Amino acid sequence: SRWEADALVIFGITGDLAQRMTIPALYRLERRGLLDGPIIGVAGSELTDAELVVRARKSVEEAGGPVIDAIFDRLAGRMSYLSGDATDPALYERLARMLTGRRRPLFYLSMPPSLFGPIVEGLGTARLTAQARVAVEKPFGHDLASAIELDRQLRQVLEEEQILRVDHFLGKEPVIELEYLRFANTAMAELWQRGRVESIQITMAETLGVGSRGTFYDKVGCLRDVVQNHLLLVLALVAMEPPVGPSAKDLWDKRVEVLRAIPAVEVGNYVRGQYAGYRQTPGVAPDSTTETYAALKLEINNWKWAGVPVYIRAGKHLPVKDTEVRLILKEPPRLGFMPDPRRVEPNQIVVRIDPLAGMRLQLCALGESDEWRTVPLDTIFARELGPAMPPYERLMLAALTGDSRPFARQDAIVESWRIVQPLLSYPPPVHPYPVGSWGPTEADRLVAGSLPWQAPWV
Ligand code: BG6
């Protein structure tokens, strides 16, 4: 029978991510009647259980939507607080006492990665890990070497199957949907290959800047923050072969296989940008060269995708909030049927991940006055399928019920660091760009020979 948690322990319960995402997700799971067992929050500050509950209530309120007292009280009734230092062995002894009788705890580490090692060691020494699972939040390292080292620390105590690496993009409905769109539809399968596709564009545009996260972000930058993890995983889903079965191993074997086929990106195929005013952000070095925009070109050297360039761009302070995958199809071979043959715009398949998940097929049609025009064939997933479960809720539920499919496997993480490692070792200069623009114009040269960067579907 499947593993199921009988207790949840959240390290870093007072942290930003736990307050903004994890606690509201737990409230929604409680509302659906999907929680079972105690929840222990761990953090450094001295708080009483009652004070933790007050904070939790505030988190749920700030996440929006009405708070139903009966449901919140049920959640609050599960919660207790444990204060202590993650590097102090006494903390784990106290935790072990609180977990008496619980055999399968889920430890959820909403903590900086530098503490992953000490925490699992503490849990191991207190004999809490035998049947436990441990969820860790990104970043999984800051380069290839540190990602391998971080895993080595975790693996001193845990088996790979016990580690759940949380990448919230893998909890997004349209990202999961990619598998269905591709493999449950022959129409898509026919188009989704090098014979039909001219290029692939993946865009993750955000309108906000780094805000109050300057200290964190300045050490990280756009490539590490969203490309190495979120977008390369999305690409793996876009390009992978159909899995042979439904298990986590089946899925990840195929994802890893396609990542392995992607050569490390050449530094010449990478353009970095920084928005105007970034250096004045609190926590950011006044002479920072950290990128807030990254664009790159890569290829997938396998049978299905050889010769199809993949363009990825991501950035802060761009004109719109939009994350999408765009397959640009090849042009029709001949337009002789037209009275006045002219190049038409190639068809495109767009899967929009955010903000409104959906899919578009962009076609060419005859408009009035004998001119071709593009027409969209759209579907908005939520309208057809109902509202999707938000990512953190979905991932927490999966973690609690032992479903490891939406959690990144270590070999996938290692492959994705390998792909970007030259760009980290030899970063090209960073180009300034105005707030609200599409990033530095230098990025246009990357797409030379393909269709230019396309305006996203908004
Ligand atoms: C996070 C990054 O992982 O993803 C943030 O650290 C980014 O910088 C965020 O804003 C975007 O997530 P979403 O779900 O809003 O697309």
Side-chain angles (χ1 to χ4, degrees):
S1 72
R2 193 143 107 179
W3 183 93
E4 221 170 293
D6 59 9
L8 169 63
V9 181
I10 301 172
F11 283 81
I13 189 78
T14 56
D16 176 63
L17 202 63
Q19 297 282 316
R20 268 188 315 113
M21 298 296 184
T22 316
I23 292 176
L26 289 171
Y27 172 79
R28 291 191 301 264
L29 290 173
E30 184 75 77
R31 191 176 59 196
R32 290 174 190 248
L34 294 171
L35 288 185
D36 193 18
I39 300 172
I40 302 171
V42 185
S45 29
E46 293 288 342
L47 292 183
T48 62
D49 292 353
E51 283 166 330
L52 178 67
V53 166
V54 170
R55 284 182 182 229
R57 171 121 201 166
K58 204 163 145 262
S59 299
V60 179
E61 280 165 2
E62 279 170 9
V67 183
I68 300 164
D69 285 336
I71 293 166
F72 184 81
D73 292 348
R74 224 161 54 219
L75 176 66
R78 304 180 186 283
M79 295 177 80
S80 50
Y81 183 72
L82 173 61
S83 136
D85 173 353
T87 60
D88 175 9
L91 173 74
Y92 302 94
E93 285 159 27
R94 276 181 286 146
L95 184 56
R97 278 198 295 279
M98 291 171 85
L99 285 171
T100 305
R102 306 281 163 181
R103 318 259 302 261
R104 297 179 309 278
L106 168 66
F107 297 106
Y108 196 101
L109 274 45
S110 215
M111 300 288 276
S114 57
L115 289 170
F116 293 173
I119 292 174
V120 295
E121 196 190 319
L123 294 173
T125 310
R127 298 164 158 281
L128 288 170
T129 52
Q131 294 184 58
R133 298 258 165 116
V134 178
V136 293
E137 290 268 5
K138 79 162 187 106
F140 315 118
H142 56 91
D143 59 10
L144 179 58
S146 60
I148 292 170
E149 168 57 20
L150 189 59
D151 190 57
R152 193 192 62 78
Q153 291 177 12
L154 295 175
R155 292 297 305 277
Q156 292 199 320
V157 180
L158 305 167
E159 300 294 331
E160 166 70 26
E161 295 69 40
Q162 293 181 285
I163 307 170
L164 308 172
R165 297 175 193 82
V166 178
D167 183 309
H168 79 286
F169 264 55
L170 291 173
K172 289 182 188 257
E173 192 272 341
V175 173
I176 301 164
E177 194 66 62
L178 275 167
E179 249 147 28
Y180 274 78
L181 293 174
R182 293 191 52 208
F183 305 133
N185 296 289
T186 43
M188 285 303 124
E190 291 302 320
L191 293 175
W192 217 277
Q193 39 114 345
R194 70 185 296 280
R196 301 288 180 202
V197 177
E198 184 270 333
S199 62
I200 299 174
Q201 292 189 7
I202 299 179
T203 297
M204 178 176 179
E206 296 183 90
T207 48
L208 298 179
V210 302
S212 58
R213 297 165 77 220
T215 312
F216 159 80
Y217 195 90
D218 204 38
K219 292 197 284 288
V220 175
C222 182
L223 188 73
R224 289 186 176 96
D225 189 39
V226 301
V227 179
Q228 173 271 331
N229 40 47
H230 306 326
L231 299 184
L232 286 182
L233 284 176
V234 168
L235 176 60
L237 282 151
V238 167
M240 70 193 253
E241 294 295 319
V244 293
S247 72
K249 180 179 188 310
D250 295 328
L251 299 185
W252 284 98
D253 283 353
K254 293 301 178 192
R255 293 172 186 175
V256 171
E257 189 178 81
V258 75
L259 290 169
R260 284 175 54 209
I262 301 176
V265 181
E266 289 170 27
V267 177
N269 286 334
Y270 176 38
V271 171
R272 300 165 71 229
Q274 187 187 74
Y275 64 76
Y278 171 73
R279 292 176 183 180
Q280 282 79 59
T281 311
V284 169
D287 57 351
S288 169
T289 57
T290 299
E291 80 282 352
T292 61
Y293 170 99
L296 44 135
K297 174 186 180 180
L298 52 83
E299 54 195 342
I300 305 169
N301 280 341
N302 64 14
W303 187 269
K304 195 173 220 157
W305 296 108
V308 180
V310 178
Y311 304 105
I312 299 179
R313 62 176 167 168
K316 303 272 188 200
H317 268 323
L318 301 188
V320 293
K321 162 105 180 147
D322 180 90
T323 304
E324 65 168 44
V325 174
R326 187 174 286 259
L327 269 58
I328 295 162
L329 302 186
K330 293 196 165 162
E331 288 179 27
R334 197 166 172 273
L335 297 169
F337 69 95
M338 290 186 178
D340 173 18
R342 230 173 291 174
R343 286 185 74 178
V344 293
E345 207 163 280
N347 293 161
Q348 305 188 6
I349 303 173
V350 187
V351 177
R352 185 165 61 196
I353 297 168
D354 276 309
L356 189 59
M359 183 168 175
R360 159 174 287 185
L361 179 57
Q362 185 182 300
L363 300 170
C364 256
L366 173 65
E368 288 305 325
S369 73
D370 269 353
E371 292 271 0
W372 64 265
R373 300 223 333 247
T374 60
V375 290
L377 214 61
D378 291 352
T379 183
I380 300 297
F381 296 143
R383 284 187 202 139
E384 304 296 333
L385 308 170
M389 201 187 248
Y392 275 91
E393 189 177 334
R394 188 190 295 271
L395 293 180
M396 179 60 83
L397 181 61
L400 287 168
T401 55
D403 176 4
S404 51
R405 288 174 305 167
F407 300 100
R409 208 165 71 183
Q410 174 63 11
D411 50 356
I413 306 247
V414 167
E415 289 301 329
S416 54
W417 281 114
R418 175 191 57 74
I419 292 166
V420 299
Q421 186 57 51
L423 316 182
L424 301 170
S425 305
Y426 308 102
V430 69
H431 302 282
Y433 64 93
V435 167
S437 73
W438 274 110
T441 49
E442 282 78 4
D444 292 346
R445 79 171 161 77
L446 293 180
V447 290
S450 294
L451 209 63
W453 295 111
Q454 297 291 292
W457 168 25
V458 283

